[in-house]
C-alpha cells in the first residue's frame, strides 16, 4: 500500500525579515495569529504553535505514520525537532525587539515510545535562565494524559538581529 502526503508552506523570508520588528513574544504571537508564516519545518512535520507567553510556549503534533522509523514508532528526530522548537521559542519569547537566538546544543532523553495510538502530543518549552549572551531552556514532550514522553535541555546563543 502506497501512501502520499502533500506539503505546502509559505515563504520563510517573510518571518525572517519580521524578527527585528517585534519583541520575541510579539513575534511568536504574530505567528500564532497567522499574521506571520510559521517555519516550513512545522508544515513538513505537521506541528503547530498552540500557546505563547513570556517564558513558555507549546507546540502540538498528532503523530502519523509519516513520522515513523523502520521499527514502527515515531522517529527520534521528530521528538528532537519538537523539543528544540519548544525550548528555542521559550527563549525567543523573552527576547526584546532586535534580539534573536540560535541553538548551541540540545540534550534529550527519550522516555516512552510514541505511535499513532498515542494521539496528540505537546512540546512544552520553558526558559530556565537568560543572560546577556546565552540562555538555557528546557522542553517536555507530553501525551494527552500528561505522561512525560521525552525531556530536553537547550543552550542558546543570543545576538542582535537587523531591523528593517
Amino acid at each position: 500500500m502506497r501512501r502520499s502526503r502533500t506539503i505546502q508552506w509559505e515563504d520563510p523570508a517573510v518571518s525572517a525579515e519580521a524578527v527585528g520588528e517585534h519583541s520575541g513574544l510579539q513575534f511568536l504571537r504574530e505567528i500564532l495569529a497567522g499574521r506571520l508564516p510559521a517555519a516550513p519545518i512545522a508544515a513538513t512535520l505537521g506541528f503547530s504553535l498552540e500557546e505563547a507567553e513570556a517564558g513558555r510556549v507549546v507546540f502540538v503534533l498528532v503523530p502519523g505514520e509519516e513520522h515513523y522509523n523502520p521499527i514502527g514508532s515515531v522517529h527520534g528526530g521528530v521528538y528532537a525537532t519538537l523539543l528544540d522548537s519548544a525550548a528555542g521559542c521559550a527563549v525567543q519569547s523573552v527576547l526584546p525587539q532586535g534580539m534573536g537566538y540560535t541553538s548551541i546544543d540540545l540534550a534529550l532523553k527519550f522516555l516512552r515510545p510514541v505511535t499513532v495510538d498515542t494521539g496528540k502530543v505537546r512540546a512544552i518549552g520553558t526558559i530556565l535562565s537568560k543572560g546577556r549572551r546565552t540562555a538555557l531552556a528546557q522542553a517536555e514532550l507530553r501525551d494527552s494524559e500528561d505522561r512525560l514522553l521525552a525531556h530536553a535541555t537547550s543552550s542558546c546563543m543570543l545576538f542582535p538581529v537587523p531591523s528593517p
Side-chain angles (χ1 to χ4, degrees), residues 3 7 10 17 20 27 29 31 36 42-43 56 65-66 77 83 92 97 127-129 147 149 156:
R3 289 152 166 88
I7 301 168
E10 296 180 50
E17 291 170 3
F27 177 77
R29 286 182 173 163
I31 292 171
L36 284 175
R56 183 179 182 276
E65 288 180 339
E66 67 275 15
L83 294 169
Q92 179 79 32
Q97 183 174 347
I127 188 143
L128 298 173
S129 173
R147 289 181 295 211
L149 307 171
C156 296

Side-chain angles (χ1 to χ4, degrees), residues 46-119:
F47 68 90
S48 60
L49 181 62
E50 188 172 79
E51 297 176 35
E53 58 188 69
R56 183 179 182 276
V57 301
V58 178
F59 285 93
V60 296
L61 168 78
V62 176
E65 288 180 339
E66 67 275 15
H67 300 118
Y68 274 22
N69 58 29
I71 61 171
S73 61
V74 172
H75 191 282
V78 176
Y79 286 65
T81 302
L82 283 168
L83 294 169
D84 183 54
S85 298
C89 287
V91 170
Q92 179 79 32
S93 74
V94 298
L95 296 181
Q97 183 174 347
M99 291 297 289
Y101 77 94
T102 191
S103 299
I104 297 172
D105 63 22
L106 181 69
L108 66 116
K109 302 292 183 198
F110 303 104
L111 303 172
R112 293 177 181 262
V114 175
T115 68
V116 295
D117 295 330
T118 304

Side-chain angles (χ1 to χ4, degrees), residues 100-159:
Y101 77 94
T102 191
S103 299
I104 297 172
D105 63 22
L106 181 69
L108 66 116
K109 302 292 183 198
F110 303 104
L111 303 172
R112 293 177 181 262
V114 175
T115 68
V116 295
D117 295 330
T118 304
K120 182 167 86 170
V121 296
R122 295 171 296 126
I124 304 157
T126 55
I127 188 143
L128 298 173
S129 173
K130 179 188 161 295
R132 288 182 303 123
R133 295 186 181 161
T134 62
L136 177 66
Q138 70 176 356
E140 298 178 341
L141 189 65
R142 293 193 171 267
D143 67 12
S144 61
E145 295 179 25
D146 209 33
R147 289 181 295 211
L148 185 61
L149 307 171
H151 180 268
T153 56
S154 177
S155 301
C156 296
M157 178 175 60
L158 310 180
F159 55 87

